[in-house]
């Protein structure tokens, strides 16, 4: 591999923190989708058996949020300014909505308070870690985009 090819391949890579956030979004997104899908199926099964139906709505909203979480990981890998903005917006909205829904579900399902706080903290970490990494690495991400644009000209 000659020197020119090395320069182009390193410029095309995502910055380190953004790459970590990308893999975090993909891997954790798949886990959250699986967890929320199982939770939705369990909620539907419980309602069919004559149980409460109140958690089907929040479970489907959480599943939708997990799907958007995964999709935001795909967006950030597209390496464009619009993809960065869409990813940050999706992560922020999904984090706020999912946290609110999860706290609401925990309060109305009669769990102990420490369970609410622990699981809510996990949800906050799942959503805030990639959001913080992407925002911190904004300068490097946009520098990479500028270098790609200057190479195209």
């Amino acid at each position: 591999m000659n020197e020119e090819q090395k320069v182009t391949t390193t410029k095309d890579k995502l910055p380190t923190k953004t790459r970590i956030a990308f893999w975090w979004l993909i891997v954790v997104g798949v886990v959250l989708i699986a967890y929320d899908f199982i939770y939705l199926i369990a909620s539907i099964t419980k309602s069919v058996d004559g149980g409460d139906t109140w958690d089907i709505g929040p479970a489907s909203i959480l599943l939708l949020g997990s799907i958007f979480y995964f999709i935001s990981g795909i967006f950030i890998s597209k390496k464009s300014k619009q993809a960065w903005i869409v990813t940050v917006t999706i992560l922020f909205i999904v984090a706020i909505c999912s946290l609110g829904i999860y706290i609401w579900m925990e309060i109305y399902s009669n769990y102990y308070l420490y369970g609410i706080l622990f699981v809510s903290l996990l949800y906050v970490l799942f959503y805030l870690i990639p959001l913080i990494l992407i925002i911190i690495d904004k300068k490097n991400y946009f520098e990479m985009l500028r270098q790609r644009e200057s190479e195209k000209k």
Side-chain angles (χ1 to χ4, degrees):
M1 190 185 251
N2 64 24
E3 193 66 33
E4 186 176 311
Q5 287 176 335
K6 284 183 183 178
V7 171
T8 9
T9 54
T10 56
K11 287 181 182 177
D12 286 340
K13 284 186 175 180
L14 285 172
T16 305
K17 292 179 190 112
T18 306
R19 196 173 330 126
I20 293 169
F22 163 73
W23 283 109
W24 179 277
L25 289 167
I26 297 298
V27 171
V28 173
V30 168
V31 170
L32 285 175
I33 288 171
Y35 174 78
D36 290 338
F37 184 74
I38 290 169
Y39 183 63
L40 179 63
I41 297 298
S43 300
I44 292 171
T45 304
K46 187 172 80 172
S47 70
V48 168
D49 291 339
D52 294 331
T53 59
W54 69 270
D55 56 347
I56 292 176
S60 26
I61 293 172
L62 283 175
L63 178 62
L64 184 64
S66 298
I67 292 170
F68 279 125
Y69 186 82
F70 178 78
I71 289 173
S72 67
I74 295 170
F75 275 134
I76 199 71
S77 69
K78 297 298 181 192
K79 300 176 187 168
S80 71
K81 184 177 182 179
Q82 294 83 11
W84 188 89
I85 293 169
V86 167
T87 299
V88 169
T89 305
I90 286 174
L91 284 176
F92 184 74
I93 291 171
V94 169
I96 298 298
C97 292
S98 294
L99 182 63
I101 288 170
Y102 201 79
I103 289 174
W104 178 77
M105 284 176 20
E106 292 291 325
I107 289 173
Y108 286 101
S109 63
N110 299 324
Y111 285 120
Y112 296 109
L113 183 60
Y114 68 86
I116 296 170
L117 295 177
F118 177 73
V119 174
S120 300
L121 178 66
L122 281 179
Y123 259 78
V124 166
L125 288 177
F126 280 155
Y127 292 109
L128 287 185
I129 287 175
L131 184 62
I132 290 169
L133 286 172
I134 289 170
I135 289 174
I136 287 174
D137 213 20
K138 175 184 175 183
K139 180 181 174 185
N140 294 333
Y141 187 82
F142 286 119
E143 182 64 32
M144 176 205 58
L145 293 178
R146 275 195 257 4
Q147 288 176 356
R148 288 181 71 207
E149 288 298 320
S150 66
E151 286 176 4
K152 288 181 182 178
K153 291 180 181 180

